[in-house]
């Protein structure tokens, strides 16, 4: 927290906290501007709108950029460690939200700046982070982190499976049926195993259809594995009622509600 | 409940309750008429049937409207607070079920009235609400409501993901491959992430196919998150129901919701 | 069980039981013949094979029919109550497995007899029923039966949803985009909500694509509901270790492993 | 483990163990070479790359083959029972990783050798097996094995279902709508039930669309069954792991698998 120097600490409270009326209002207005600015980027990409409203969109874009720049500077000003904030995930996202417009002056506007602009949508999470969803988001993340190893094993298995299945289909179906290379056949295997099924490449030979039937049933069945992993982990996290407690010694998180000592370093919580 | 004035309270019991034979019969007949009237609206929209049976459909539609009008008036008559009923969810649905036909006299029949007519299907829930499914529906709703915050976090994450992924694909694939604008690319990202996969827009460049492979595997894996959330919540809701029963004789716990006798001592619960 | 009259009871043991070597051999041979006969029906429907091997397929078909007829008669002979067997589910399936071929003499062979022939595949379950999979199949069925009410509520909700969504899309997209009638639009809504996504009908207008995006995310999320229902029910069934115990008084099933008295009628188990 | 004869046992430790720095480095290098060699096989199948880089790919392929041959011989040399290793799953995979290139000298290079080469991807699991993912992979496998019977019952049911549904659709839709034979209709039924939905074959008649709607909702619902099975099994496996730890000082139970100190008294576990 910053030193209690009147203005700066007041600003800090408005921008970074959500429990005062001013802080809440700031969050609601900010989230509105973010959503509106993302909408403008999206609509600007539609040819008909771009042709008719290009000057308006440009003006709005500059308006958002100036607003976000003021906000970015204010954030830098009121935090204790500006560098640490600037290097943090949300600090980088905040910078990326304003950079493309300024870069657009130097370089001719390219498509690539568009994507960076759209990253503004991530700023919504900064606001979400501050309010009552914090606990829910954390318990979701904890469950996913706790199951990350099992999910890695699962993903490596799925990747090996689609590489092998894709190669077999490349040999069975061949170039004349759209399986022009192994990477493309692997793309098909992923489309099929994940039950997406575009239909842009589909097996034509009876043998290929038989094999892809097996792939489908496999994909249909093994979706149970990530589901099972996450469900079990979530049920454990939820039942344990993990509090937002952090070990004062080793900074580890995820301690049980009834824990008295840190399970990693033995320090008193 | 209304005052015990003979006819009105008798009507109330028939229409709003389901435990008397008359009330049950009323529900069964009503559900039959609702389903039949929805079927007529559906068939009327098929060109061949409309051309051949238009007068019949029209007559049936008026028949249903008159029946539902009588029912609506009867409901208004026998409840204690007619205004409160009229403003309730089912009161509005009941009104919407009869309004389109009357409006059709004043205005030329448009497509839009059709959709309002089809809302009649919601009236089925009014009947379901009254019978034995009440408990099941309630426990489903409780589980969903309890997990609504986690689901909100999940939906905001998914929306941010498809916005970012859609924008990246818009830049990678470009207009020549069907990704004509960011909103359309976001539509594609949703089609892919949810594993629907129409195939009306599908990536053509190798890089686009590689990215969409990642989107698919992502969509395939993160479906585990809502599933996990709802499963854990349901398991909690269900377990709670089991625990609230204790045998009056042997004080044993953990009896099923449908148990009539204690499974340990045979005493009546 | 039949009276211990030498041959008949021996036959009964071979055909209906699986714990003797003869009974096991009979099951394995029967399952082989069933699978082979289903394969023949399937291959016979392929034009190229039919043109070349029609006489062979016909001969095989008669062979299977005669074998299954002998088996059917043997089953009728060795059970205590032949009529009860003939009326049971598997009794009807056994009869349907042989009837089409005989009917083919009287009537010219139609497509419809093919489907009846393919029902033979259900006979596999008769054999499965006898072996070690009994317990697993039963616990699956128990879990599904216990959750049948919740699933009904879920299915009615899904049906109402697709009817309403289909009608709205019919109005939004109209006949020119393939949504030619409400039933067809409902078909589209089911294809989309269940994340199948054929792509034979897909929204063309921006509004239609926006609505269908919502339908997809809805479909992607609510799949969690049946999954949650079945998982919770299964976990309860599995944890309780339901034995194959039946109440001697009221014939109710699904009693807990530690139950001493029937929970429905209070009788000693 | 081999006899402590200096070089051989040192080699064994490097190749087969992962807890020494040398062993870890060996694993990381090996996994890099495997991934790179699979990438080369994949890229070689793309026509443009093959035309430009065929000699380079050929040289790389020989390089990988010689490296893997040295590794294979080293493995054979340093294990105690070379024959047992050669017959094991990974022994066969190791051999298949080098065989195709040598066979390519004798026989003209065919497509089929490509698939065998791609099996190298399985070697990644050998390395994964050695490190910290072992426990996770094992608990996943245990859960799947424990539920294998239930999954068999489920798969047999799904197969019977698609055979019957496919045959009915063959009769309803007929050859003119793409359902040219029962096997092809079964392929369609699998595509639909698993919610893949290519759209290469899709029902055209109203009756066919009605039936396929039922198939879709069925497929959408019964995916809950394998999910439920695996989730329950996993939750049992995971819970078991948690329970096996007791604090030596305060005898408290229920410690996490990754806990080092007791969360109640701070004692070392």
């Amino acid at each position: 927290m910053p030193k209690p120097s009147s203005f700066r600490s007041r600003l800090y409270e408005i921008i970074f906290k959500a429990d005062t009326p001013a802080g809440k209002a700031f969050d609601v207005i900010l989230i509105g501007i973010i959503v509106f600015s993302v909408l403008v980027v999206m609509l600007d990409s539609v040819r008909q709108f771009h042709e008719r409203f290009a000057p308006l969109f440009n003006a709005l874009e500059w308006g958002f950029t100036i607003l976000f720049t003021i906000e970015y500077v204010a954030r830098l000003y009121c935090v204790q460690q500006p560098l640490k904030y600037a290097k943090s995930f949300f600090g980088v996202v905040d910078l990326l939200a304003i950079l493309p417009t300024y870069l657009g002056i130097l370089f001719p506007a390219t498509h690539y700046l568009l994507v960076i602009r759209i990253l503004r949508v991530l700023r919504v999470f900064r606001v979400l982070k501050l309010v009552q969803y914090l606990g829910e988001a954390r318990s979701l993340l904890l469950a996913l982190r706790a199951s990350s190893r099992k999910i890695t094993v699962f993903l490596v298995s799925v990747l090996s499976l689609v590489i092998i299945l894709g190669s077999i289909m490349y040999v069975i179906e061949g170039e004349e049926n759209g399986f022009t290379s192994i990477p493309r056949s692997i793309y098909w295997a992923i489309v099929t195993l994940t039950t997406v099924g575009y239909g842009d490449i589909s097996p034509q030979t009876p043998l290929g259809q038989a094999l892809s039937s097996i792939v489908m049933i496999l994909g249909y069945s093994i979706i149970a594995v990530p589901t099972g992993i996450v469900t079990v982990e979530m049920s454990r996290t939820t039942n344990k009622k993990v509090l937002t407690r952090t070990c004062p010694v080793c900074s580890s998180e995820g301690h049980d509600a009834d824990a008295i000592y840190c399970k990693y370093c033995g320090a008193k919580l």
Side-chain angles (χ1 to χ4, degrees), chain A residues 40-220:
Chain A
V40 166
V41 175
M42 277 164 59
L43 292 177
D44 194 22
S45 76
V46 182
R47 189 179 290 274
Q48 300 99 292
F49 293 134
H50 183 78
E51 276 163 6
R52 287 185 55 191
F53 303 114
L56 173 67
F57 287 149
N58 200 29
L60 281 171
E61 192 54 47
W62 274 104
F64 295 134
T65 304
I66 289 162
L67 277 176
F68 288 151
T69 308
I70 294 168
E71 187 213 338
Y72 184 65
V73 171
R75 279 184 195 268
L76 276 178
Y77 167 69
C78 69
V79 290
Q80 285 250 313
Q81 298 168 294
L83 210 79
K84 206 184 150 194
Y85 157 71
K87 281 184 186 169
S88 73
F89 176 70
F90 280 115
V92 172
V93 169
D94 289 351
L95 187 64
L96 287 176
I98 53 175
L99 223 62
T101 318
Y102 294 120
L103 284 176
I105 311 172
L106 303 173
F107 309 100
T110 64
H111 271 321
Y112 297 97
L113 293 177
L114 264 174
V115 180
I116 298 172
R117 253 180 217 159
I118 215 98
L119 286 178
R120 280 176 192 161
V121 83
L122 288 177
R123 305 194 69 221
V124 168
F125 284 93
R126 164 194 283 294
V127 182
L128 272 188
K129 224 183 111 183
L130 291 165
V131 286
Q132 70 266 45
Y133 292 92
L134 179 60
E136 306 296 339
R138 174 171 297 198
S139 89
L140 276 183
L141 272 182
L142 268 178
L144 289 180
R145 200 177 302 161
S147 49
S148 66
R149 269 196 195 173
K150 277 210 187 78
I151 286 174
T152 306
V153 170
F154 172 72
L155 283 182
V156 172
S157 309
V158 164
L159 277 179
S160 309
L161 204 65
V162 293
I163 288 174
I164 293 170
L165 288 169
S167 307
I168 296 174
M169 282 301 278
Y170 168 65
V171 172
I172 292 177
E173 290 279 328
E175 291 192 33
E176 62 276 18
N177 292 327
F179 294 76
T180 50
S181 67
I182 291 187
R184 200 170 153 82
S185 300
I186 291 172
Y187 165 73
W188 167 86
I190 293 174
V191 168
T192 302
L193 193 83
T194 57
T195 76
V196 171
Y198 283 136
D200 49 351
I201 321 169
S202 64
Q204 303 300 325
T205 63
L207 188 58
Q209 293 184 341
L211 183 66
S212 63
S213 296
I214 295 171
V215 177
M216 286 171 215
I217 291 180
L218 218 63
Y220 187 65

